[in-house]
Amino acid sequence: MLSKAVLSLLLLTVTSVQAVWPIPSTIETGDSTLWIGDALLVTYNGDKVCWFSASEHPCPLDDTVDTNSGLPTGQIPWIRNYVPYGGPKFSSKEIVKGGVSRAVKNILDDNFVPWKLYPRLELEKTEPSLHKPKAYVSCLEITQTGKDTAKTFKPLAGDVDESYNLTLGTNGKATISAVSSTGVLRGLETFSQLFFKHSQGPIYTTLAPVKITDAPEYDHRGILLDVSRNYLPLENIYRTIDAIAWNKLNRLHIHATDSQSWPLEIPALPELHQKGAYAQGMTYSPKDVAAIHTYAVQRGVEVIVEIDTPGHFGIVALSHPDLVTGWGAAPWSTYCAEPPCGQIQLNNPKTDAFFDKLMDDLLPRVAPYSAYFHTGGDEVNFNEYNLDPTVGTNDSAVIVPLLQRFIDKHHARVRKAGLVPMVWEEIPASYNVTIGDDVVVQSWLGDEAIKSLTGQGHKVITSNYNYWYLDCGRGQWLNIAEGESFEANWPFNDWCGPTKSWRLVYSYDPRAGLTEEEAALVLGGEVGAWAETIDEVNLDSILWPRGSAAGEVLWSGRTDAAGENRTQFDAAPRLAEFRERMLARGVRADPVQMTFCTQGGNATTCSL
């Protein structure tokens, strides 16, 4: 029988090595304890970053002091909750200063006591003693080896090197080295995950020495938020951006408008939100849009705005009834995927002037922050063009040339603003519309669709609904009448069940079944959160930790260095730990397992 001391050491070691999510490319850890507190000297390319709250070890003073700031020359002022200077021009130093502030705050202020990760009632026996001599993390040396460019802060896929190297020695010295400031942010996130809160308050790690090398598998790693079916207040979008960054995701795709509402303020066309928003105040002003973009860029996240066209456009009928066909059409199931219906009148000469005015207003405000603009294109219902006085038929021979003309003109507007168009897969795959080589296609219909698209040479991001639609499997949101319809639709499942559990999300390989040439065209993916039954109350639990599972697939890859699929036995303990970190940081993520399982010492405690 193992002694208590040996058992405690074993349990501490088993628990500690769970530490990082998503799993780095390589990681080596030890079993030495280090503590960390306010007295932490941080340098960035030689400049000092100090805690001014440190009383025992204040910022070391150099010989020269800046008379304007009162700070030592070359020293970077550092405080909790530091907010970097805003955009649209961004500074590498400001980006890193903000990252350091958030990372140390997460370590010292928003950490957690890992009692759920130890066997029942064993926490006090396994966490480090407060009464033994302590070694501290004394300095964090950050080195950026490359120079950021404008592309760093509004990148196309592949424009930014997000790799980093991290070390933490038993002597208390930590280092992060990265090519870009974005890589520095990724390294700071990993650094923050090495530490726990002691049950008596202090912060520690038992992993020293640490050596990590890390880089992402995919360039496009995102979350799709639908803010049109249900409005999301700004603080919920900001919180989601924070969680995206913690998970080393790097894209937020905002589905900004749909047939249900138009919350986006367009100063050149104010009637759109004045008549299309759900209520007064449930809109995003130009200032809000810039703030969302800025908040994201400061965290290494790029926001991609989508205005879906030519379908999912019904709400515009409230302000421009002469541009929309099918608004209020019945039965809706004949004319659209869900109520209310409404599509652009494709052959109306007023359409071009409307979109010129809309895009001339919006795109210049987006272009300083993002390299992409999503033009939509999904679920265009040809039956609805029977109702269009400018078309009058559902014949594809008539409609497809009109779609081609519309997409050509619309994508020309996007390119004129210096942006790259994105579309849903139906545009090239279902409607046979020709698109430019620069266009990125978002696929949601499954692996066969991805193989077909990449086989035709299209660049693709995947949102395969069979795995990565997080709204699925939660039941029907439509009301069902008693009688025949009731019987036919019982037990009232939605169209895309089952629920996409984190295990199903984690099992998906975006490049499965593709040739090497086809796989190279898969830039990454996004998990989707369509908002028929999602709002600010349940948003966190819908997204996390299932979005985290996709985050590891996209950052680390579905397979390990040996080419073997990463297992739930490896993922579950680390994901359960990371979920506790998200809770401590203010995101109400769902449990991974019950506490009995996380306290089991290893992942086989709860297994089949």
Side-chain angles (χ1 to χ4, degrees):
M1 186 174 181
L2 293 174
S3 68
K4 286 186 177 180
V6 173
L7 178 60
S8 295
L9 179 60
L10 176 62
L11 293 172
L12 183 58
T13 303
V14 168
T15 302
S16 296
V17 296
Q18 298 170 9
V20 180
W21 189 277
I23 191 74
S25 303
T26 68
I27 178 169
E28 300 174 21
T29 60
D31 57 6
S32 295
T33 298
L34 290 173
W35 303 82
I36 189 170
D38 281 356
L40 177 67
L41 174 66
V42 183
T43 65
Y44 170 57
N45 290 343
D47 286 340
K48 296 167 186 171
V49 184
C50 292
W51 282 87
F52 288 98
S53 60
S55 55
E56 296 181 9
H57 304 282
C59 296
L61 295 179
D62 297 333
D63 291 335
T64 56
V65 175
D66 186 302
T67 56
N68 292 320
S69 68
L71 299 172
T73 302
Q75 182 172 298
I76 303 173
W78 195 94
I79 56 174
R80 279 175 166 85
N81 302 314
Y82 179 76
V83 179
Y85 298 139
K89 292 184 178 180
F90 295 94
S91 154
S92 303
K93 183 180 288 188
E94 284 294 305
I95 293 289
V96 171
K97 284 166 62 178
V100 170
S101 174
R102 294 188 299 274
V104 183
K105 183 177 187 298
N106 285 336
I107 293 169
L108 297 182
D109 299 343
D110 299 330
N111 216 320
F112 74 105
V113 178
W115 65 269
K116 289 185 181 179
L117 310 181
Y118 291 100
R120 192 186 309 264
L121 305 177
E122 292 288 332
L123 172 65
E124 290 76 12
K125 300 176 183 178
T126 51
E127 62 183 356
S129 170
L130 292 176
H131 306 295
K132 294 181 179 179
K134 297 181 180 65
Y136 281 85
V137 180
S138 57
C139 63
L140 170 60
E141 182 180 284
I142 300 170
T143 304
Q144 185 178 329
T145 60
K147 187 175 182 179
D148 291 336
T149 68
K151 290 183 177 180
T152 306
F153 309 119
K154 44 171 290 183
L156 293 171
D159 276 350
V160 179
D161 186 335
E162 298 181 69
S163 66
Y164 67 92
N165 298 310
L166 184 153
T167 66
L168 174 60
T170 54
N171 62 356
K173 179 180 178 180
T175 68
I176 294 173
S177 175
V179 174
S180 69
S181 61
T182 309
V184 171
L185 296 180
R186 307 302 179 230
L188 285 167
E189 174 54 39
T190 295
F191 181 70
S192 75
Q193 293 183 31
L194 300 177
F195 298 92
F196 298 96
K197 185 177 182 179
H198 194 279
S199 59
Q200 300 303 309
I203 308 298
Y204 68 92
T205 181
T206 56
L207 292 170
V210 178
K211 183 178 181 180
I212 292 172
T213 63
D214 205 6
E217 178 69 20
Y218 293 89
D219 293 320
H220 187 116
R221 310 180 305 277
I223 298 287
L224 183 156
L225 274 191
D226 173 6
V227 300
S228 53
R229 289 179 174 87
N230 273 313
Y231 174 82
L232 288 177
L234 282 176
E235 60 266 24
N236 295 274
I237 298 175
Y238 292 149
R239 189 175 66 252
T240 299
I241 293 171
D242 284 328
I244 284 172
W246 303 336
N247 283 275
K248 297 188 177 73
L249 296 161
N250 66 352
R251 299 287 191 271
L252 174 61
H253 171 176
I254 297 181
H255 183 82
T257 64
D258 211 294
S259 282
Q260 289 78 15
S261 82
W262 188 288
L264 193 63
E265 293 184 18
I266 306 295
L269 296 163
E271 64 275 10
L272 288 172
H273 78 269
Q274 289 170 354
K275 295 189 176 181
Y278 277 129
Q280 295 293 330
M282 289 191 175
T283 59
Y284 305 106
S285 69
K287 183 178 178 180
D288 294 335
V289 171
I292 290 168
H293 277 288
T294 298
Y295 193 91
V297 170
Q298 291 167 347
R299 288 152 179 79
V301 177
E302 183 173 13
V303 174
I304 299 171
V305 175
E306 176 190 359
I307 291 186
D308 205 347
T309 54
H312 293 274
F313 211 70
I315 193 65
V316 176
L318 295 182
S319 56
H320 296 267
D322 54 334
L323 297 180
V324 175
T325 187
W327 177 250
W332 65 261
S333 56
T334 300
Y335 299 106
C336 58
E338 64 180 41
C341 300
Q343 295 176 176
I344 294 164
Q345 292 185 9
L346 280 180
N347 210 19
N348 189 330
K350 296 180 181 179
T351 297
D352 286 343
F354 172 84
F355 278 103
D356 286 342
K357 195 170 187 178
L358 173 63
M359 295 294 110
D360 283 348
D361 182 305
L362 178 61
L363 294 182
R365 295 191 279 109
V366 170
Y369 305 96
S370 183
Y372 296 100
F373 185 83
H374 204 305
T375 59
D378 60 318
E379 297 179 328
V380 178
N381 190 312
F382 285 17
N383 286 335
E384 203 156 357
Y385 287 114
N386 273 322
L387 308 178
D388 183 347
T390 73
V391 179
T393 181
N394 63 359
D395 186 352
S396 61
V398 174
I399 295 171
V400 169
L402 296 175
L403 277 173
Q404 182 72 65
R405 184 181 68 181
F406 173 80
I407 293 297
D408 288 345
K409 290 184 176 182
H410 206 35
H411 285 187
R413 297 181 184 100
V414 175
R415 294 186 184 99
K416 179 183 176 183
L419 296 160
V420 171
M422 296 178 67
V423 296
W424 288 102
E425 70 181 273
E426 289 96 322
I427 290 294
S430 301
Y431 316 140
N432 200 31
V433 168
T434 301
I435 55 176
D437 292 338
D438 58 332
V439 178
V440 176
V441 180
Q442 186 162 7
S443 175
W444 63 282
L445 292 173
D447 289 343
E448 290 184 6
I450 293 170
K451 187 167 183 63
S452 175
L453 289 164
T454 55
Q456 297 170 49
H458 294 299
K459 294 188 288 288
V460 173
I461 59 171
T462 179
S463 296
N464 188 334
Y465 81 92
N466 296 294
Y467 295 89
W468 281 7
Y469 267 24
L470 302 186
D471 52 295
C472 291
R474 302 173 58 249
Q476 183 58 260
W477 58 271
L478 291 163
N479 298 323
I480 309 298
E482 293 289 333
E484 184 177 337
S485 180
F486 187 97
E487 299 298 327
N489 286 283
W490 188 92
F492 317 117
N493 294 321
D494 58 26
W495 69 274
C496 56
T499 300
K500 317 310 179 192
S501 69
W502 79 261
R503 291 172 176 81
L504 183 59
V505 172
Y506 194 72
S507 72
Y508 180 51
D509 183 350
R511 291 174 174 152
L514 302 181
T515 67
E516 186 175 344
E517 293 77 12
E518 291 165 348
L521 291 169
V522 179
L523 306 180
E526 298 175 357
V527 294
W530 300 107
E532 285 87 352
T533 57
I534 300 173
D535 63 12
E536 68 269 27
V537 175
N538 64 351
L539 176 66
D540 287 1
S541 63
I542 294 292
L543 291 179
W544 315 109
R546 293 184 296 162
S548 305
E552 179 151 298
V553 170
L554 291 168
W555 178 273
S556 309
R558 177 67 181 95
T559 58
D560 60 22
E564 299 295 325
N565 283 340
R566 301 184 193 277
T567 71
Q568 296 175 23
F569 291 93
D570 169 71
R574 288 186 298 106
L575 187 56
E577 176 182 317
F578 188 65
R579 183 256 179 174
E580 297 301 308
R581 292 196 185 279
M582 288 195 286
L583 289 178
R585 297 175 184 185
V587 168
R588 300 185 65 80
D590 267 2
V592 174
Q593 292 177 303
M594 60 179 166
T595 306
F596 170 78
C597 302
T598 66
Q599 288 190 327
N602 63 67
T604 63
T605 300
C606 297
S607 62
L608 285 173

